[in-house]
Amino acid sequence: MPKTSKILDPENNILVRIKKLNLKRFVRPAARILSCAGILLTFAVVLYYILYPARGEFHADCTDTLMWAVASHESGQIISDTFNYACFLPFGGQLLMLPFINAFGGGIITHTIGMCLFLLIFSVSLIMLTRAMKWNITWTFITTFSLLLTVCTSEKLREIFWGHIIYYSLGILFMLIGLNLVFKVLENSENIKKNKLKLIIYTVVLFVWFTLCSLNQLESFTIFVVPAAAGVLGEAFFSYSEKVKCRKNAVSVILFVIIAIAAGLGYILGSKIIGDNVAGYATAFSNFSEMAKWNENLHTFFTAWLSLLGVTIKQNQPIADFTGMITLIRIIYGFILIVAPFIITFKFKKQSRPVRILIITHWTMTALIMMGYVFGLLSAANWRLSPIICTSVLMTVALCQWIYTNTSFKRNIAIMLIPMMIICCVSVVDILKMHTKERTNVHLYRLMEVLENNDLTYGYATFWNANCITVLSNEQVKVRNIAVSDMGDCTKSMYQSDENWYKDQPGQENYFIILTQDELSKVNTNAYPIISDAQDIYYCGNYAIAVFNHNIFS
């Protein structure tokens, strides 16, 4: 009888041997390791941006969080009575920077430390949210990669999230932590006898968290508090598979009541902290716009949405070249972020309880922001849509996760994930290509050099050149905000400024004013130009620095 070939022998067949090895035992640990590495690398890329390239994109709007911290440090109050705030955030990012002012002053070092801490808290909160939703580590990586790098796709989004801590990024952070607590309370309420202690702890922490977040009042209510409360109650209302009067719904109603009480308490405490102070900037955008402009406001949405995602198109720009193709993918990604939330909403009943809450939270927040965008004044700036972009990313990943986990059409997620991953990778490349020497604000560093070389340490400039020089110089040069009218008058500009900054400073002999050539020409048209009292005038590019032996606002 002829011998059987070893190659054809079923016992020695290579394919059979591979199957016997059960590769799943190796694939899953490898996927976990790669996912953890991917999360760390994503974090490292954004951290690198904050530590280095962000200084080249730093401008006056980026100073507000630190200025609020300085105001609290100098006054000893959460909200200073002598500082003019753009908005009131008693529970804001300035609390991350405040502890470091004594050691490092109110400069770029303190600012950078605060932003690094914000990134760390934001990233950990995002990871904890995905774990609370019972997603595996691979989907945690996809979520982290997608969200952290989507908000790096344009200079404006990088400023909003990693340039300072304003209510847009703060509201999303509040949401990540708040929804995580909501999910934990609901999870532990399913077996109260077994999880009684955990349930009590999570409920108390949730109450405290919603109270603290509600100190920020309208801003937090719009982006986080009301949407999260609507998510809890709405999920119970739209869960038609459950009876109206059931234990599950009763827990949701009780949780909603707890959130409502916490929100009311936080609002009252916030009012007491703020007192009679008025934030003109934030208040202005809580008003209606003219009815005639509502249609125009709506029409700007899509353009504003795409520009936030880094779409910039010039007339007759080629589509077929590399830049054109990347722009086209950005546009496709923009469409995906709009369409995906609708698709997952159509599959609402098939989603897990956390995802259902997330869906209602997203749509409630979107509705509130769009009301202000269409009927109010929010359409004046595209970055006011940034919170919707964040929750749209979460919704898109949630849809992909559901398709992959619960359907046989796994390959369909590539339609959404590939454009998302390409744009996020482009963000990585863009950040790594940035060099600290390639600054968009190079004129600020040149001004700082002239001021420091001439021992000028205290003076005034208009908004875009004032606080940012103070911060970038680590307070070695302090520059306060002024306004120059068309008539050539130089007056105090109290926006993001403190009344005490315009008084005579102890030990200060010389003061200066930084003026652009245009501002200088306006000043010279005045019948009594302030520049006539200057002891010296230094020129730096488009700027003139007038030096005085007295404080011009004495």
Side-chain angles (χ1 to χ4, degrees), residues 43-63:
F43 177 84
V45 168
V46 183
L47 181 64
Y48 167 78
Y49 172 76
I50 293 173
L51 291 174
Y52 298 104
R55 298 192 182 192
E57 295 184 331
F58 193 89
H59 57 79
D61 280 340
C62 300
T63 66

Side-chain angles (χ1 to χ4, degrees), residues 336-400:
I336 290 171
L337 291 182
I338 293 174
V339 173
F342 284 98
I343 298 174
I344 195 172
T345 303
F346 291 143
K347 298 294 182 180
F348 180 84
K349 293 181 181 179
K350 296 184 178 182
Q351 304 303 317
S352 64
R353 194 179 190 185
V355 174
R356 292 200 300 267
I357 292 173
L358 179 63
I359 290 171
I360 297 175
T361 300
H362 163 79
W363 285 117
T364 305
M365 185 197 70
T366 299
L368 292 174
I369 292 177
M370 288 305 296
M371 283 176 62
Y373 192 89
V374 176
F375 307 122
L377 301 170
L378 296 186
S379 60
N382 62 355
W383 59 83
R384 297 188 176 101
L385 298 174
S386 55
I388 304 178
I389 283 183
C390 290
T391 53
S392 293
V393 171
L394 294 177
M395 296 278 278
T396 303
V397 176
L399 176 60
C400 292

Side-chain angles (χ1 to χ4, degrees), residues 136-204:
N136 63 30
I137 191 65
T138 300
W139 285 104
T140 297
F141 157 65
I142 292 172
T143 307
T144 306
F145 181 81
S146 302
L147 184 54
L148 292 188
L149 293 174
T150 293
V151 295
C152 291
T153 52
S154 66
E155 183 177 346
K156 181 51 67 175
L157 276 179
R158 290 194 295 270
E159 174 207 324
I160 292 297
F161 281 86
W162 316 125
H164 56 161
I165 307 171
I166 195 68
Y167 33 79
Y168 309 108
S169 57
L170 200 61
I172 295 299
L173 175 62
F174 289 168
M175 180 183 293
L176 296 177
I177 298 175
L179 289 182
N180 182 31
L181 292 170
V182 166
F183 299 157
K184 290 294 185 182
V185 169
L186 294 176
E187 178 186 350
N188 285 284
S189 67
E190 293 175 0
N191 191 338
I192 296 177
K193 290 183 179 179
K194 183 180 178 181
N195 303 318
K196 185 176 181 180
L197 181 59
K198 285 184 178 180
L199 180 60
I200 292 173
I201 293 173
Y202 279 121
T203 303
V204 171

Side-chain angles (χ1 to χ4, degrees), residues 104-363:
F104 304 106
I108 193 65
I109 295 176
T110 298
H111 170 86
T112 303
I113 292 172
M115 293 313 306
C116 290
L117 287 175
F118 179 77
L119 170 63
L120 178 62
I121 297 170
F122 193 97
S123 302
V124 171
S125 302
L126 181 58
I127 292 169
M128 290 176 63
L129 179 69
T130 60
R131 305 304 284 173
M133 296 170 73
K134 307 303 179 184
W135 291 357
N136 63 30
I137 191 65
T138 300
W139 285 104
T140 297
F141 157 65
I142 292 172
T143 307
T144 306
F145 181 81
S146 302
L147 184 54
L148 292 188
L149 293 174
T150 293
V151 295
C152 291
T153 52
S154 66
E155 183 177 346
K156 181 51 67 175
L157 276 179
R158 290 194 295 270
E159 174 207 324
I160 292 297
F161 281 86
W162 316 125
H164 56 161
I165 307 171
I166 195 68
Y167 33 79
Y168 309 108
S169 57
L170 200 61
I172 295 299
L173 175 62
F174 289 168
M175 180 183 293
L176 296 177
I177 298 175
L179 289 182
N180 182 31
L181 292 170
V182 166
F183 299 157
K184 290 294 185 182
V185 169
L186 294 176
E187 178 186 350
N188 285 284
S189 67
E190 293 175 0
N191 191 338
I192 296 177
K193 290 183 179 179
K194 183 180 178 181
N195 303 318
K196 185 176 181 180
L197 181 59
K198 285 184 178 180
L199 180 60
I200 292 173
I201 293 173
Y202 279 121
T203 303
V204 171
V205 174
L206 179 142
F207 182 85
V208 172
W209 182 251
F210 273 81
T211 301
L212 291 173
C213 295
S214 298
L215 294 175
N216 296 349
Q217 300 189 331
L218 181 62
E219 287 78 12
S220 285
F221 273 57
T222 302
I223 300 175
F224 164 56
V225 177
V226 173
V232 171
L233 193 62
E235 188 275 333
F237 181 82
F238 291 111
S239 294
Y240 297 118
S241 59
E242 304 285 347
K243 293 182 179 180
V244 175
K245 294 182 179 180
C246 67
R247 182 177 171 279
K248 196 173 181 181
N249 286 352
V251 171
S252 295
V253 172
I254 292 171
L255 182 56
F256 174 81
V257 172
I258 291 172
I259 291 173
I261 294 172
L265 177 61
Y267 190 92
I268 293 170
L269 293 175
S271 297
K272 290 186 176 181
I273 293 171
I274 295 170
D276 296 328
N277 296 304
V278 178
Y281 179 83
T283 303
F285 289 98
S286 60
N287 300 325
F288 279 110
S289 63
E290 296 178 31
M291 290 181 64
K293 293 185 177 180
W294 289 358
N295 192 44
E296 179 184 340
N297 293 344
L298 181 60
H299 284 169
T300 64
F301 169 79
F302 194 64
T303 304
W305 182 264
L306 292 180
S307 64
L308 265 181
L309 293 170
V311 175
T312 54
I313 301 177
K314 298 178 181 179
Q315 183 71 22
N316 297 323
Q317 178 178 321
I319 297 177
D321 63 2
F322 180 78
T323 302
M325 292 303 295
I326 294 297
T327 299
L328 186 60
I329 295 172
R330 288 185 192 272
I331 295 172
I332 294 171
Y333 183 34
F335 272 109
I336 290 171
L337 291 182
I338 293 174
V339 173
F342 284 98
I343 298 174
I344 195 172
T345 303
F346 291 143
K347 298 294 182 180
F348 180 84
K349 293 181 181 179
K350 296 184 178 182
Q351 304 303 317
S352 64
R353 194 179 190 185
V355 174
R356 292 200 300 267
I357 292 173
L358 179 63
I359 290 171
I360 297 175
T361 300
H362 163 79
W363 285 117

